[in-house]
Amino acid sequence: MFSIPGTGIFNNSQKIKGTVVLMSKNVLDFNAITSAGSSVSGAVGGIFGTVSDVAGSVVDGATAIFSRSIALKLISATKTDGQGNGKVGKETYLEKHLPTLPNLGAKQDAFDIHFEYDADFGIPAAFYIKNYMQVEFFLVSVTLEDIPNHGTVNFVCNSWVYNFKNYKKDRIFFANDVYLPSATPGALVKYRNEELENLRGDGTGERKEADRIYDYDVYNDLGNPDVDNSLARPILGGSSEYPYPRRGRTGRRKTKKDPNSEAPSSSTYVPRDEIFGHLKSSDFLTYGIKSLAQNVLPRLQSVFGLNSEFDSFDDARAFFEGGIYLPTDIISDISPLPVLKEIFRTDGEQALKFPPPHVIQVSKSAWMTDEEFAREVIAGVNPNVIKRLEVFPPQSTLDPSIYGDQTSTITKESLETNLEGLTVDEAIEGNKLFILDYHDAFMPYLRKINGLKTSKAYATRTILFLKNDGTLTPLAIELSVPHPGGDTFGAVSRVVLPAKEGAEGTIWLLAKAYVVVNDSCYHQLMSHWLNTHAAMEPFIIATYRHLSVLHPIHKLLEPHYRDTMNINGLARQSLINAGGIIEQSFLPGGFSVEMSSKVYKNWVFPDQALPADLIKRGLAVEDPSAPHGVRLVIEDYPYAVDGLEIWDAIKTWVQDYVSLYYASDNEVTKDTELQKWWKEAVERGHEDLKDKPWWPKLQTLEDLVQSCSIIIWIGSALHAAVNFGQYPYGGFILNRPTISRKFLPELESEEYQELVTNPQKAYLRTITGKYEALVDISVIEILSRHASDEVYLGQRDNPNWTSDSKAIQAFKKFGNKLAEIEAKIEQRNKEPSFRNRIGPAHMPYSLLLPTSDEGLTFRGIPNSISI
């Protein structure tokens, strides 16, 4: 046995046996992969010796270094020193490597450790750890066995540990016990508070890689004015003009031209434990986006050029059926990158080929039908925008003193020919008319958007009718642009009605395309980015700053935070930044994220709960006798039907869990950590909306349950519903174009004649070009994938996440309920009477099935926003 000489508080030979599980830093990291001609040999600088395989695992000979370089000191929860703090044991080093330990995860290494112990030390419930190596490692877990009068103690760590000199105070880890602040053993109070102080930092300085500090900042890092004035972007957050949720603070240097904006960086700081590096396959998907933006797309642009067009619908399908020719040098650049090699399938030839999106796997033309167009409004990738039409004609909420009269020009007469014998008033009274309304979101920006060289777009309103067979059909599409005389003159609008033949049939297809362009942009920037990614980050930051890992609410919410700050940081660097992928491939261009700040003005936290959202949009009415307390207006509404079951399961789980720790409203109000958490999440994380009266006060058990349920819903099911269908629906760009480049042609014009002679070409000249489509498809294929080690709703990555057996039992009940829901969804998808679940494209609605395999599966609810 390896031992360290010295004396400590122990005075007999009794030992506590421990097992330490860790993972070594992967030398074959992203930077090594993407550096042309880079070599990983010698990268460890003699610390680990050689690399045994491409995954970066070290040979067993390196374990001797670990045993001499990692030391732990136990901390007692029951016995104190002279100052009332838990006793600290003697520094003890790792010992023997255990390569065959049962249940050891991939790339994990386990080590024996033996701590000297006597009864005067009490029960250990925390430990300090020091890393004396120059390279960090990932500490997975520590298990202590056969503690007298106690048994086993589990520590779930999941944290990077750097050289001890990187920390002002020693790294500390706590056992998987749960305590409200007022119930914390006195011996642990100091350590609990100190760790929270460490995580909060002091709000100054530039953050370094090893830091674990969580703090807030505005979105002042999207622009790059030092390169070009056209890359300057407004600061989002901190003003009434551009309100926004807060992001994690990095403290980077400011740009030269704008002292309030941060300069871009090749790497964006996020707290170190938010990045798993090589440890999760999802990270390879994440960094695939970065490599795509920095290395591949610029090369592809040189091949295709901007605004290149498809020649025909068959040409667009060539992305999946025949492949697209690429020069040899680009193929050679892609092939060394494992992630991109999987995404850009070349089959050893010079053809780039993508997997066929689900929307054209069965039928190549179903996407063109009115039924599929309408079905995707309630069962597509953006199913939570449609509203019930309650007033006719549709009204605008834009300020008339600025934008004039923006009332819809759609007439009753234009609708009533297709209302199955009803009048408009009767259809409204019977809850038969609905609207997909993007008019107010786009109109304030259309003059700017249409001033861009490549964009010609409308603000759209689409009226839909609920037929007697339960399906929706579009009745009219209004296409509006700002009045040429100025905004105060209102809008100039054109109403397009359904048609199937000739030029009018092509105009109707184009009108639907303009709607989908609005929908695609709103989905990506608002439904997806703002409402899930950006809205979630303040709650993550506040949790780590104010809820100890010992706090039950921390343990409840933490799985739903994993990877989110990492993917958000990458998004600011490569996706939503000035000149980034979103600006290249979506209609608003440089105004994209700015537009989302206007939508955030109307974001309401309680309305993120699915029942409240459905009621607000008029898609449901309160009904205590209904299974979920609401009755759907559209009975066959796949997102709502499946979502309500998931929502109820989440809320029931949260109620069961919270009731284990809080018996009354008074216990909620007196929980100091909880109250600081919520106050800061609202007042700093969502500071620009902090004075809104709708914020829960977190004074009752119901407030706590509802708020936690909403946070879990956002991070899991809501994100899954708007994310993992991106490629299945949008991978075929003709179905979900992201850009419109031409207006509808005028009657008798040469372009109008093309509608008759070559309708496919007319359509393709109008929508997303070939290069922009390639950008979009490449990204959404990555975003729509599941990692091999994804952890799904109702699962935990470690069975020892808590020591509370009642919590474990309640969580098992939650998992069983989700399994029941999954079976019910699969059964509903087999029922032919539910026509909206399948549709003409034969795509069973599966986005809210809780589990999934790896890859492009069109299903699965991960615990968190990890991609």
mmCIF file of all heavy atoms in Angstrom, residues 397-420:
data_model
loop_
_atom_site.group_PDB
_atom_site.id
_atom_site.type_symbol
_atom_site.label_atom_id
_atom_site.label_comp_id
_atom_site.label_asym_id
_atom_site.label_seq_id
_atom_site.Cartn_x
_atom_site.Cartn_y
_atom_site.Cartn_z
ATOM 1 N N THR A 397 -50.919 45.138 -33.125
ATOM 2 C CA THR A 397 -50.571 45.786 -31.856
ATOM 3 C C THR A 397 -49.481 46.834 -32.037
ATOM 4 O O THR A 397 -49.028 47.432 -31.061
ATOM 5 C CB THR A 397 -50.103 44.742 -30.830
ATOM 6 O OG1 THR A 397 -48.955 44.058 -31.335
ATOM 7 C CG2 THR A 397 -51.202 43.729 -30.528
ATOM 8 N N LEU A 398 -49.047 47.063 -33.277
ATOM 9 C CA LEU A 398 -48.019 48.077 -33.528
ATOM 10 C C LEU A 398 -48.591 49.471 -33.265
ATOM 11 O O LEU A 398 -49.776 49.735 -33.524
ATOM 12 C CB LEU A 398 -47.513 47.975 -34.969
ATOM 13 C CG LEU A 398 -46.769 46.695 -35.338
ATOM 14 C CD1 LEU A 398 -46.412 46.686 -36.824
ATOM 15 C CD2 LEU A 398 -45.506 46.526 -34.498
ATOM 16 N N ASP A 399 -47.750 50.360 -32.789
ATOM 17 C CA ASP A 399 -48.158 51.722 -32.456
ATOM 18 C C ASP A 399 -48.601 52.454 -33.723
ATOM 19 O O ASP A 399 -47.791 52.698 -34.626
ATOM 20 C CB ASP A 399 -46.977 52.455 -31.815
ATOM 21 C CG ASP A 399 -47.352 53.840 -31.293
ATOM 22 O OD1 ASP A 399 -48.430 54.356 -31.664
ATOM 23 O OD2 ASP A 399 -46.550 54.403 -30.526
ATOM 24 N N PRO A 400 -49.880 52.833 -33.829
ATOM 25 C CA PRO A 400 -50.347 53.493 -35.048
ATOM 26 C C PRO A 400 -49.722 54.860 -35.285
ATOM 27 O O PRO A 400 -49.685 55.336 -36.422
ATOM 28 C CB PRO A 400 -51.870 53.600 -34.829
ATOM 29 C CG PRO A 400 -52.061 53.478 -33.357
ATOM 30 C CD PRO A 400 -50.958 52.598 -32.863
ATOM 31 N N SER A 401 -49.232 55.503 -34.226
ATOM 32 C CA SER A 401 -48.576 56.799 -34.426
ATOM 33 C C SER A 401 -47.245 56.644 -35.144
ATOM 34 O O SER A 401 -46.715 57.614 -35.709
ATOM 35 C CB SER A 401 -48.371 57.496 -33.078
ATOM 36 O OG SER A 401 -47.411 56.790 -32.281
ATOM 37 N N ILE A 402 -46.699 55.429 -35.125
ATOM 38 C CA ILE A 402 -45.421 55.160 -35.808
ATOM 39 C C ILE A 402 -45.655 54.393 -37.107
ATOM 40 O O ILE A 402 -45.075 54.722 -38.153
ATOM 41 C CB ILE A 402 -44.480 54.348 -34.892
ATOM 42 C CG1 ILE A 402 -44.160 55.129 -33.618
ATOM 43 C CG2 ILE A 402 -43.195 53.972 -35.632
ATOM 44 C CD1 ILE A 402 -43.361 54.341 -32.597
ATOM 45 N N TYR A 403 -46.548 53.402 -37.051
ATOM 46 C CA TYR A 403 -46.714 52.496 -38.192
ATOM 47 C C TYR A 403 -48.047 52.649 -38.914
ATOM 48 O O TYR A 403 -48.325 51.904 -39.850
ATOM 49 C CB TYR A 403 -46.554 51.044 -37.724
ATOM 50 C CG TYR A 403 -45.167 50.762 -37.201
ATOM 51 C CD1 TYR A 403 -44.928 50.664 -35.835
ATOM 52 C CD2 TYR A 403 -44.095 50.616 -38.075
ATOM 53 C CE1 TYR A 403 -43.656 50.418 -35.346
ATOM 54 C CE2 TYR A 403 -42.814 50.363 -37.597
ATOM 55 C CZ TYR A 403 -42.602 50.271 -36.233
ATOM 56 O OH TYR A 403 -41.330 50.031 -35.764
ATOM 57 N N GLY A 404 -48.849 53.606 -38.518
ATOM 58 C CA GLY A 404 -50.111 53.809 -39.198
ATOM 59 C C GLY A 404 -51.087 52.675 -38.953
ATOM 60 O O GLY A 404 -50.968 51.913 -37.989
ATOM 61 N N ASP A 405 -52.057 52.540 -39.849
ATOM 62 C CA ASP A 405 -53.081 51.504 -39.725
ATOM 63 C C ASP A 405 -52.553 50.196 -40.309
ATOM 64 O O ASP A 405 -52.308 50.101 -41.504
ATOM 65 C CB ASP A 405 -54.341 51.944 -40.465
ATOM 66 C CG ASP A 405 -55.490 50.949 -40.286
ATOM 67 O OD1 ASP A 405 -55.319 49.977 -39.508
ATOM 68 O OD2 ASP A 405 -56.532 51.136 -40.932
ATOM 69 N N GLN A 406 -52.378 49.201 -39.470
ATOM 70 C CA GLN A 406 -51.852 47.905 -39.901
ATOM 71 C C GLN A 406 -52.927 46.813 -39.838
ATOM 72 O O GLN A 406 -52.614 45.624 -39.831
ATOM 73 C CB GLN A 406 -50.661 47.501 -39.024
ATOM 74 C CG GLN A 406 -49.458 48.435 -39.122
ATOM 75 C CD GLN A 406 -48.666 48.234 -40.398
ATOM 76 O OE1 GLN A 406 -48.729 47.182 -41.027
ATOM 77 N NE2 GLN A 406 -47.923 49.262 -40.806
ATOM 78 N N THR A 407 -54.192 47.213 -39.834
ATOM 79 C CA THR A 407 -55.283 46.248 -39.813
ATOM 80 C C THR A 407 -55.266 45.404 -41.077
ATOM 81 O O THR A 407 -54.980 45.889 -42.173
ATOM 82 C CB THR A 407 -56.633 46.972 -39.696
ATOM 83 O OG1 THR A 407 -56.623 47.791 -38.529
ATOM 84 C CG2 THR A 407 -57.786 45.978 -39.609
ATOM 85 N N SER A 408 -55.592 44.134 -40.951
ATOM 86 C CA SER A 408 -55.585 43.225 -42.090
ATOM 87 C C SER A 408 -56.599 43.658 -43.145
ATOM 88 O O SER A 408 -57.669 44.189 -42.836
ATOM 89 C CB SER A 408 -55.905 41.806 -41.621
ATOM 90 O OG SER A 408 -56.047 40.934 -42.726
ATOM 91 N N THR A 409 -56.247 43.408 -44.396
ATOM 92 C CA THR A 409 -57.132 43.710 -45.522
ATOM 93 C C THR A 409 -57.901 42.485 -46.002
ATOM 94 O O THR A 409 -58.614 42.550 -46.998
ATOM 95 C CB THR A 409 -56.315 44.287 -46.702
ATOM 96 O OG1 THR A 409 -55.352 43.308 -47.122
ATOM 97 C CG2 THR A 409 -55.601 45.567 -46.298
ATOM 98 N N ILE A 410 -57.743 41.351 -45.334
ATOM 99 C CA ILE A 410 -58.490 40.150 -45.707
ATOM 100 C C ILE A 410 -59.980 40.407 -45.467
ATOM 101 O O ILE A 410 -60.370 40.932 -44.426
ATOM 102 C CB ILE A 410 -58.016 38.931 -44.886
ATOM 103 C CG1 ILE A 410 -56.527 38.655 -45.136
ATOM 104 C CG2 ILE A 410 -58.841 37.694 -45.223
ATOM 105 C CD1 ILE A 410 -55.939 37.588 -44.231
ATOM 106 N N THR A 411 -60.800 40.047 -46.437
ATOM 107 C CA THR A 411 -62.240 40.275 -46.320
ATOM 108 C C THR A 411 -62.973 38.990 -45.980
ATOM 109 O O THR A 411 -62.491 37.879 -46.239
ATOM 110 C CB THR A 411 -62.806 40.826 -47.635
ATOM 111 O OG1 THR A 411 -62.656 39.838 -48.665
ATOM 112 C CG2 THR A 411 -62.088 42.116 -48.031
ATOM 113 N N LYS A 412 -64.170 39.154 -45.405
ATOM 114 C CA LYS A 412 -65.010 37.995 -45.107
ATOM 115 C C LYS A 412 -65.368 37.238 -46.385
ATOM 116 O O LYS A 412 -65.389 35.996 -46.400
ATOM 117 C CB LYS A 412 -66.278 38.439 -44.384
ATOM 118 C CG LYS A 412 -66.053 38.947 -42.969
ATOM 119 C CD LYS A 412 -67.369 39.312 -42.298
ATOM 120 C CE LYS A 412 -67.130 39.769 -40.864
ATOM 121 N NZ LYS A 412 -68.409 40.136 -40.186
ATOM 122 N N GLU A 413 -65.643 38.001 -47.448
ATOM 123 C CA GLU A 413 -66.062 37.382 -48.705
ATOM 124 C C GLU A 413 -64.987 36.456 -49.259
ATOM 125 O O GLU A 413 -65.296 35.409 -49.843
ATOM 126 C CB GLU A 413 -66.412 38.465 -49.730
ATOM 127 C CG GLU A 413 -67.654 39.280 -49.406
ATOM 128 C CD GLU A 413 -67.422 40.300 -48.292
ATOM 129 O OE1 GLU A 413 -66.239 40.616 -48.001
ATOM 130 O OE2 GLU A 413 -68.423 40.776 -47.710
ATOM 131 N N SER A 414 -63.739 36.838 -49.081
ATOM 132 C CA SER A 414 -62.651 36.016 -49.617
ATOM 133 C C SER A 414 -62.526 34.691 -48.879
ATOM 134 O O SER A 414 -61.961 33.725 -49.410
ATOM 135 C CB SER A 414 -61.329 36.780 -49.545
ATOM 136 O OG SER A 414 -60.942 37.017 -48.195
ATOM 137 N N LEU A 415 -63.030 34.621 -47.649
ATOM 138 C CA LEU A 415 -62.911 33.402 -46.845
ATOM 139 C C LEU A 415 -64.130 32.494 -46.958
ATOM 140 O O LEU A 415 -64.007 31.270 -46.891
ATOM 141 C CB LEU A 415 -62.700 33.765 -45.370
ATOM 142 C CG LEU A 415 -61.487 34.635 -45.001
ATOM 143 C CD1 LEU A 415 -61.472 34.868 -43.491
ATOM 144 C CD2 LEU A 415 -60.190 33.998 -45.454
ATOM 145 N N GLU A 416 -65.303 33.075 -47.135
ATOM 146 C CA GLU A 416 -66.531 32.324 -46.928
ATOM 147 C C GLU A 416 -66.822 31.294 -48.011
ATOM 148 O O GLU A 416 -67.644 30.388 -47.792
ATOM 149 C CB GLU A 416 -67.702 33.296 -46.759
ATOM 150 C CG GLU A 416 -67.636 34.007 -45.419
ATOM 151 C CD GLU A 416 -68.735 35.037 -45.202
ATOM 152 O OE1 GLU A 416 -69.396 35.426 -46.187
ATOM 153 O OE2 GLU A 416 -68.912 35.443 -44.034
ATOM 154 N N THR A 417 -66.122 31.370 -49.131
ATOM 155 C CA THR A 417 -66.329 30.348 -50.160
ATOM 156 C C THR A 417 -65.771 28.998 -49.738
ATOM 157 O O THR A 417 -66.128 27.971 -50.328
ATOM 158 C CB THR A 417 -65.656 30.776 -51.475
ATOM 159 O OG1 THR A 417 -64.273 31.035 -51.224
ATOM 160 C CG2 THR A 417 -66.310 32.032 -52.044
ATOM 161 N N ASN A 418 -64.909 28.970 -48.721
ATOM 162 C CA ASN A 418 -64.281 27.713 -48.298
ATOM 163 C C ASN A 418 -64.556 27.384 -46.826
ATOM 164 O O ASN A 418 -63.782 26.664 -46.195
ATOM 165 C CB ASN A 418 -62.767 27.777 -48.531
ATOM 166 C CG ASN A 418 -62.401 27.821 -49.999
ATOM 167 O OD1 ASN A 418 -62.834 26.967 -50.775
ATOM 168 N ND2 ASN A 418 -61.628 28.828 -50.397
ATOM 169 N N LEU A 419 -65.672 27.885 -46.287
ATOM 170 C CA LEU A 419 -65.962 27.686 -44.866
ATOM 171 C C LEU A 419 -67.009 26.613 -44.623
ATOM 172 O O LEU A 419 -67.640 26.591 -43.560
ATOM 173 C CB LEU A 419 -66.419 29.009 -44.231
ATOM 174 C CG LEU A 419 -65.328 30.056 -43.976
ATOM 175 C CD1 LEU A 419 -65.916 31.286 -43.299
ATOM 176 C CD2 LEU A 419 -64.203 29.486 -43.134
ATOM 177 N N GLU A 420 -67.201 25.705 -45.597
ATOM 178 C CA GLU A 420 -68.147 24.596 -45.445
ATOM 179 C C GLU A 420 -69.527 25.102 -45.051
ATOM 180 O O GLU A 420 -70.209 24.545 -44.179
ATOM 181 C CB GLU A 420 -67.623 23.579 -44.413
ATOM 182 C CG GLU A 420 -66.328 22.894 -44.844
ATOM 183 C CD GLU A 420 -65.835 21.851 -43.847
ATOM 184 O OE1 GLU A 420 -66.304 21.842 -42.689
ATOM 185 O OE2 GLU A 420 -64.971 21.031 -44.242
#
